[in-house]
Amino acid sequence: MVAGTLAAGSPAIGAGAEATPSGGGTSEYLVFYAPGGEAAALDAIRAGGGTAGAVDGKLGYVLARGPRTGFAERLGTSPSIAGVTADRRIGSATALTSQDAAAPAERTAPSTALSAAGTAGGSAAEAQAVSAGATVAGHGDPLSGRQWDMKMIGATAGGSYAKARGTKKVLVGIIDTGVDGRHPDIAPNFNRALSRNFVVDHPKDSKGKTLDGPCEHKGCKDPADEDDEGHGTHVASTIGSPLNGIGVAGVAPGVSLVNIRAGTDSGFFFLKPVLDALTYAGDAGIDVVNMSFFVDPWTFNCAHNPSDSRAEQLQQAGIITGVQRALDYARARGVTLITALGNGSTDLGEPTTDKDSPGYPAGSERERTIDNSCVNVPAESRGVISVSAVGPSKRKAWYSDYGTEQTDLSAPGGDPSDAGTSLKGTAREILAAAPASALRKQKLIDASGKPVGSSVVRDCHRGKCAYYQYLSGTSMASPHAAGVAAILVARFGKPGKGGLLLSPAKVEKLLYATATHTGCPSSGSTTYTVSEETHVCEGSSAKNGFYGHGLVDAERAATTKG
């Protein structure tokens, strides 16, 4: 038995294991105990036929090994137990491919996009500047003409960049699949010293199927400056790609980007790395964290759903409890928490059916009836700022979740189906940095390095080339809000541990105050119909289910008096 506090990243029984809580043998579990219930939880673990490992006193859980059958149910009879979750895959990133991001009725239609040398909505002179890799006067970096998203929120050379770009003292953590710290449009702002990787890649899943692919490094643990999936690099770029004459610029091009990796190469997340990442953010003095992922295998986590088994209820209770404790830990230490709302095209305030859970192992999904007591984590967890996505016309993206209780802010996330704009196809999505290795693995660039298709752009400058990718999703929306939060911390924060310190409550207040109030569509309470499903917007222009407190505004954040 190991007692005391488990430091983030310390080795422990079953950390990151691909356990399956069914069948014979044993499995690893995270056993969350009620406040003051550590001793009773250890007794319950032993009485249930299990063995206790490390104890995390910060978040209140025990790493334990126990039988795959009946162990969780036996623990659940103890009042000291708040949840029991197998230490296994629990999440996935919330980015959509170009094809996925199109509305259902439009997914088979071919998309029209600009060539790699063109500039969306720009002039011939701007297109020439793009190919030359030069900064276009008044337009930021060479590919800034394609960044309709930055124009929408005033993050431009003529807007927020001229007034506030953030500072290296502001530490923005990206809890994601990793960050390519060597990408030319990431490297100048990448904080290698503080970056961490809390996951071990898994070549195959529990059924022997390819998962993360071959291990590239000893021990299957990538360095903290790699991103084999690409999702985290795209997010980091939107937040803080520098103004450096290459490619694009982020919302806050002067901040420090810290990779706090909790997702595997395949884009999925384990519970313990997520908990470790949030704990590390609090301990390391990170100012703002972006969480563009959702916790799985349950799209909606229900602690008391009668259609679930007792073991499933305990598993979901463990996810809700564990993530909430980690969020509380980080927020209490000054971390502002920004999260993607989700891509389920669902009113999170009135969910009725969950057809996608449990999402792992593959094929385990079943349809179950749910209600508003079931929550999407972390989007509906306490203390987080949840962001919905809009397309280039400012219409709520068709895929974006929404809800009067759940939506706090909105931001550009891209929407290829948004017809209310002159942009076409992929140009309606969000362009940001992408690792060449990930694009090559996805066959989006060929052996010579030439982009394949319109979703990837190559920008070359002084003999070096960098890649950028169009993506859509609430994953792409939340980093815009994180960038605006970083601007506010830079302007109003005081020196603190690691970086600057501005209370999350103050950042939240300023984000809401500087957002542009956006009312429900004038055509009525509905915005459009998606696959025979009508999305209903409820609330006032000051706060509603589509836009929350409004559309984030970098220029207003750069000029507000606080």
Side-chain angles (χ1 to χ4, degrees):
M1 175 171 53
V2 179
T5 299
L6 176 66
S10 296
I13 293 177
E18 288 273 338
T20 303
S22 61
T26 61
S27 180
E28 288 80 30
Y29 296 87
L30 277 68
V31 181
F32 295 91
Y33 52 81
E38 177 183 333
L42 294 173
D43 289 340
I45 290 169
R46 286 190 289 267
T51 303
V55 177
D56 189 320
K58 293 178 179 179
L59 303 186
Y61 69 87
V62 182
L63 283 166
R65 178 179 289 276
R68 290 181 177 174
T69 303
F71 183 63
E73 292 91 332
R74 289 192 290 273
L75 290 182
T77 62
S78 170
S80 66
I81 303 300
V84 183
T85 302
D87 189 11
R88 54 183 267 188
R89 176 187 311 287
I90 61 148
S92 61
T94 53
L96 299 174
T97 64
S98 298
Q99 183 72 355
D100 289 338
E106 303 177 18
R107 288 181 186 172
T108 58
S111 61
T112 302
L114 296 164
S115 67
T119 301
S123 66
E126 289 174 330
Q128 184 177 0
V130 168
S131 63
T135 300
V136 180
H139 291 275
D141 275 346
L143 298 179
S144 290
R146 295 173 178 259
Q147 292 185 281
W148 59 266
D149 51 319
M150 299 301 172
K151 295 175 185 177
M152 181 182 288
I153 67 172
T156 63
S160 63
Y161 295 163
K163 304 172 182 68
R165 301 181 183 182
T167 168
K168 291 295 193 299
K169 294 181 180 179
V170 177
L171 306 175
V172 182
I174 295 91
I175 301 181
D176 216 291
T177 61
V179 176
D180 180 4
R182 290 167 290 181
H183 190 288
D185 229 358
I186 296 288
N189 288 346
F190 187 68
N191 191 319
R192 185 169 276 97
L194 286 179
S195 292
R196 299 288 186 273
N197 176 13
F198 291 102
V199 303
V200 175
D201 292 336
H202 294 274
K204 297 183 182 297
D205 65 15
S206 57
K207 295 183 179 180
K209 295 182 179 180
T210 299
L211 190 61
D212 294 324
C215 294
E216 300 91 354
H217 302 278
K218 184 178 180 180
C220 287
K221 187 166 185 176
D222 296 337
D225 63 352
E226 288 191 7
D227 177 15
D228 291 328
E229 202 276 344
H231 186 274
T233 299
H234 196 282
V235 165
S237 176
T238 296
I239 295 169
S241 272
L243 276 164
N244 59 349
I246 304 172
V248 302
V251 178
V255 300
S256 286
L257 301 171
V258 183
N259 174 26
I260 312 177
R261 182 177 169 183
T264 62
D265 290 347
S266 51
F268 290 94
F269 293 72
F270 294 89
L271 178 55
K272 190 174 184 306
V274 171
L275 302 182
D276 287 344
L278 284 165
T279 303
Y280 176 76
D283 292 339
I286 303 299
D287 297 296
V288 180
V289 152
N290 185 85
M291 298 178 290
S292 285
F293 63 88
F294 68 91
V295 176
D296 227 10
W298 306 91
T299 303
F300 290 91
N301 291 272
C302 315
H304 305 289
N305 192 330
S307 68
D308 298 332
S309 69
R310 181 57 179 152
E312 290 173 334
Q313 291 174 349
L314 288 165
Q315 181 191 56
Q316 293 168 82
I319 291 171
I320 296 169
T321 299
V323 174
Q324 188 61 64
R325 289 178 181 179
L327 293 168
D328 291 344
Y329 183 91
R331 196 170 192 270
R333 286 154 182 79
V335 183
T336 295
L337 304 160
I338 311 288
T339 185
L341 194 58
N343 298 337
S345 189
T346 299
D347 182 349
L348 296 179
E350 298 183 14
T352 57
T353 304
D354 180 6
K355 299 179 181 180
D356 302 318
S357 300
Y360 186 86
S364 301
E365 303 88 344
R366 67 175 191 270
E367 183 171 339
R368 59 184 185 145
T369 300
I370 60 173
D371 58 29
N372 200 26
S373 67
C374 301
V375 293
N376 185 297
V377 178
E380 294 187 83
S381 300
R382 298 185 307 275
V384 301
I385 298 169
S386 298
V387 186
S388 67
V390 302
S393 73
K394 299 184 181 179
R395 182 187 78 165
K396 183 190 80 68
W398 78 266
Y399 56 79
S400 180
D401 287 338
Y402 58 101
T404 53
E405 301 171 8
Q406 294 78 14
T407 309
D408 296 313
L409 290 168
S410 58
D415 186 352
S417 69
D418 188 350
T421 171
S422 61
L423 300 175
K424 303 294 184 181
T426 54
R428 296 171 178 172
E429 299 185 275
I430 306 300
L431 184 67
S437 60
L439 297 176
R440 190 169 290 109
K441 184 185 299 182
Q442 298 166 35
K443 298 183 180 181
L444 293 175
I445 58 176
D446 62 21
S448 69
K450 182 180 178 180
V452 177
S454 60
S455 66
V456 174
V457 178
R458 178 173 60 180
D459 184 43
C460 299
H461 181 58
R462 294 178 181 175
K464 293 185 178 181
C465 293
Y467 294 92
Y468 303 84
Q469 186 176 16
Y470 283 105
L471 290 174
S472 289
T474 53
S475 277
M476 285 61 252
S478 61
H480 289 84
V484 176
I487 290 174
L488 293 167
V489 174
R491 293 194 62 216
F492 301 108
K494 304 298 181 183
K497 181 181 179 181
L500 297 178
L501 182 62
L502 186 64
S503 74
K506 180 64 173 178
V507 177
E508 182 176 354
K509 181 178 179 181
L510 289 170
L511 277 172
Y512 297 165
T514 57
T516 301
H517 288 171
T518 306
C520 291
S522 58
S523 59
S525 63
T526 63
T527 178
Y528 47 82
T529 300
V530 177
S531 190
E532 301 182 355
E533 178 182 292
T534 301
H535 292 194
V536 180
C537 180
E538 297 178 315
S540 67
S541 61
K543 178 66 167 70
N544 60 66
F546 280 5
Y547 304 100
H549 293 275
L551 186 68
V552 296
D553 193 315
E555 187 169 10
R556 291 182 67 182
T559 56
T560 185
K561 295 181 180 179

